[in-house]
Amino acid sequence: QQTVDIMPATKKNKKVKREAKKFSVDCSIPADDKIFDVAAFELFLTERVKVDGKVNNFGDHVKVSREGSTVSVEVDCQFSKRYLKYLTKKFLKKKNLRDWLRVVADTPAQYQLRYFAIAAEEDEEADADMDED
C-alpha cells in the first residue's frame, strides 16, 4: 500500500509584526484663531476610529494623543492615512467648519488644517475688474 500526502508540507504561518506608523493632524492655524477645539477633535477620533470593522476596538493597536495643537494617531495594524483625512473632514462637517477649512497633506505622514484662500481670490477678481475699465 502507498500513502499519498493530500496536503503538502508547508511552513506554518508566522505572524508578521507590522511596523508602527504615526500619522498626525496639525490644527495650529484654526486653533490659534480659537475656532477649532483640539481636545474635542481628539475625543472624536477616539470614539470613531474603527479597528477590524468595530468602533472602540483599539486594544494595543491604536493610540490617539495630543501634543499642543497637533493630534497624533499611532497604529501598528492596517490603517490608512486617507481614513484619518475622512474622519477629520467628518469632524469639520459636524462642527460646521467644512466651508472654511480644508485638510491638506503637509508631509507623507501629516495633514494640516488650512483656510480656503477666498480673500486672495476676491482681491484678484477686484484687480481684474479694475484693469478692464
Side-chain angles (χ1 to χ4, degrees):
Q1 294 182 343
Q2 283 184 323
T3 59
V4 179
D5 263 347
I6 297 173
M7 298 287 286
T10 60
K11 294 181 183 178
K12 291 188 177 184
N13 292 338
K14 293 181 182 178
K15 290 203 172 190
V16 178
K17 174 130 181 156
R18 294 179 187 250
E19 61 184 62
K21 298 178 191 173
K22 183 175 181 178
F23 301 109
S24 60
V25 179
D26 181 14
C27 312
S28 59
I29 296 171
D32 290 345
D33 294 338
K34 295 182 171 71
I35 66 165
F36 191 85
D37 187 9
V38 182
F41 179 56
E42 179 188 16
L43 181 64
F44 178 83
L45 287 179
T46 55
E47 291 172 349
R48 298 291 175 105
V49 171
K50 289 184 179 181
V51 178
D52 294 330
K54 296 178 184 172
V55 180
N56 291 331
N57 189 19
F58 282 7
D60 295 333
H61 301 295
V62 179
K63 294 181 185 105
V64 179
S65 60
R66 175 175 34 123
E67 300 104 26
S69 60
T70 303
V71 176
S72 300
V73 179
E74 291 185 50
V75 292
D76 63 354
C77 60
Q78 183 178 358
F79 190 88
S80 69
K81 183 180 163 191
R82 181 85 182 142
Y83 182 55
L84 182 60
K85 183 176 184 177
Y86 164 77
L87 289 173
T88 304
K89 290 167 78 173
K90 194 169 187 172
F91 178 77
L92 291 175
K93 185 70 175 174
K94 179 181 175 185
K95 297 295 182 180
N96 296 322
L97 296 172
R98 185 78 179 95
D99 295 334
W100 294 279
L101 294 172
R102 63 188 183 140
V103 184
V104 179
D106 199 25
T107 63
Q110 182 175 12
Y111 283 115
Q112 184 178 31
L113 296 181
R114 295 185 186 167
Y115 291 106
F116 284 111
I118 297 171
E121 291 174 8
E122 289 176 358
D123 292 341
E124 290 173 7
E125 289 175 8
D127 291 341
D129 291 339
M130 289 187 179
D131 291 340
E132 290 175 5
D133 292 337

